[in-house]
Amino acid sequence: MVTGSAGFIGSHLAHALVQAGTTVIGVDRRDPSTDPTAAANLAALRGRPGYHHVTADLLHCAIDPILIDADTVFHLAGIPGVRPSWGPQFGDYLASNVLATHRVLEASTRIGVSRLVVASSSSVYGPTDGDASRETDRPNPASPYAVTKLAEEQLCLAYAERPVGPSVVALRYFTVYGPRQRADMFTHRALYAALTGQPLRLYGDGHQRRDFTYIDDVVAATIAAGTVPNAHGTINVGGGSNASLLDVINIANSLTGREIQLHQDHVRNGDVLLTRADPGRAGEVLGWQPRVDLHSGLRAHMQALASPVPDYSHAA
Ligand code: NAD
Ligand code: UGA
């Protein structure tokens, strides 16, 4: 089962699993027959015999009947994004990231799921001193979102300590980019600005750095986390391409031959200056390392953004 399968990362993961011959039950509360983003994300899976979509809210639905034949749960459903988590939506973050996760854990234990992989976040580390973050570092979340992601992964790990229930791998994803990235994220907005000539709002001076991690690498790490025997605990998924926002802007400019028009804005609360993953444990436990460099990844992301997105919003 892949939760959050109508989202950015979940839809790529579900597609890769189906391509590999795995039967996937995708669960998401966004309905592809009414939600254009969900429809576009699921377009490549539409009609595929190995993919079964269930539109349901994990906060309220009966999970056991959906899970009944699943041996592995990839739990990616959640409310992402650092900046809106300061607002009145915090209750939604808490509900989807913590309470719904609790329901998934309870159902997974009842059904006898063997492995649960949960999407955690680099944001649990908070501000760093410049060194690469290791899984043994003390978490220091700097936003309400990051607090819910830390609670989510720790809840899963606490369940994994019990004699019953699935083993748990919590993947700390670092700023994922690539085709179908969420429209609130920086890379999407920078490439969109470069393609259309519309201005880009820059929060701060653009010297913030991120370990930008390409979607195909993230999917490979996630599948490994679901399949490698005896894997457990937290694992960083990042470490390939550390770059500043200005670096991304420069690459976007060079890809289009157009200069992005920048609108400087204030630094947002909870925004850390740097994320940097130590990918050592991912290599040791999962045999994973990032493969796609930033320039190639941004080129692929831009090509996808430039091609017309089919409208499947009326699809069944
Ligand atoms: P996304 O918003 O594109 O996908 C998340 C999906 O979860 C959405 O389709 C949403 O409808 C679904 N969902 C939310 N609450 C639900 C509920 N209660 N029941 C059923 N479905 C629900 O986000 P994404 O960027 O694909 O992120 C996926 C996961 O990875 C999230 O947990 C996020 O916190 C985590 N993550 C993402 C990044 C990143 O860079 N994108 C980095 C670190 C961690
Ligand atoms: C991203 C995701 O949005 C989170 O869901 C995820 O948990 C997190 O990565 C992670 O790695 O764990 P973030 O790194 O803040 O969070 O990624 P973006 O939202 O793409 O922002 C990156 C930087 O660009 C931030 O400094 C932000 O302030 C800046 N930004 C973003 C802008 O300057 N302008 C924008 O329009 C958007």
Side-chain angles (χ1 to χ4, degrees), residues 88-154:
Q89 306 97 310
F90 180 67
D92 207 17
Y93 279 80
L94 206 52
S96 278
N97 296 356
V98 183
L99 298 178
T101 298
H102 178 250
R103 296 191 81 235
V104 170
L105 285 162
E106 285 286 331
S108 300
T109 305
R110 278 193 299 271
I111 295 298
V113 165
S114 57
R115 171 74 51 83
L116 183 138
V117 180
V118 60
S120 185
S121 154
S122 72
S123 64
V124 304
Y125 290 114
T128 61
D129 55 10
D131 290 341
S133 297
R134 304 179 68 168
E135 293 83 352
T136 47
D137 291 350
R138 187 174 179 275
N140 187 18
S143 69
Y145 164 71
V147 169
T148 65
K149 293 307 284 185
L150 184 60
E152 177 178 9
E153 61 157 53
Q154 293 300 314

Side-chain angles (χ1 to χ4, degrees), residues 149-295:
K149 293 307 284 185
L150 184 60
E152 177 178 9
E153 61 157 53
Q154 293 300 314
L155 184 65
C156 294
L157 293 168
Y159 264 75
E161 289 301 312
R162 303 194 311 174
V164 290
S167 60
V168 167
V169 182
L171 297 176
R172 293 178 173 169
Y173 295 148
F174 282 67
T175 312
V176 187
Y177 74 102
R180 309 202 296 272
Q181 189 194 45
R182 299 188 335 258
D184 61 288
M185 290 187 71
F186 177 77
T187 314
H188 168 91
R189 289 186 173 175
L191 294 173
Y192 187 79
L195 281 168
T196 61
Q198 288 188 16
L200 172 67
R201 206 166 276 279
L202 194 57
Y203 305 144
D205 60 10
H207 289 290
Q208 304 98 297
R209 298 185 76 85
R210 293 287 181 272
D211 256 11
F212 292 99
T213 314
Y214 191 67
I215 184 67
D216 291 359
D217 283 333
V218 168
V219 166
T222 308
I223 292 176
T227 47
V228 167
N230 303 322
H232 64 91
T234 53
I235 300 180
N236 289 339
V237 176
S241 300
N242 198 269
S244 70
L245 304 189
L246 294 177
D247 293 332
V248 171
I249 288 168
N250 285 335
I251 296 174
N253 287 342
S254 74
L255 285 169
T256 53
R258 187 206 293 263
E259 190 94 349
I260 296 177
Q261 207 192 316
L262 295 176
H263 281 191
Q264 201 98 24
D265 206 334
H266 65 90
V267 175
R268 294 316 203 238
N269 290 331
D271 200 4
V272 295
L273 281 178
L274 168 80
T275 66
R276 189 193 295 276
D278 181 329
R281 185 162 149 76
E284 285 159 26
V285 178
L286 304 179
W288 176 88
Q289 56 184 33
R291 297 190 183 283
V292 181
D293 66 89
L294 186 59
H295 196 278

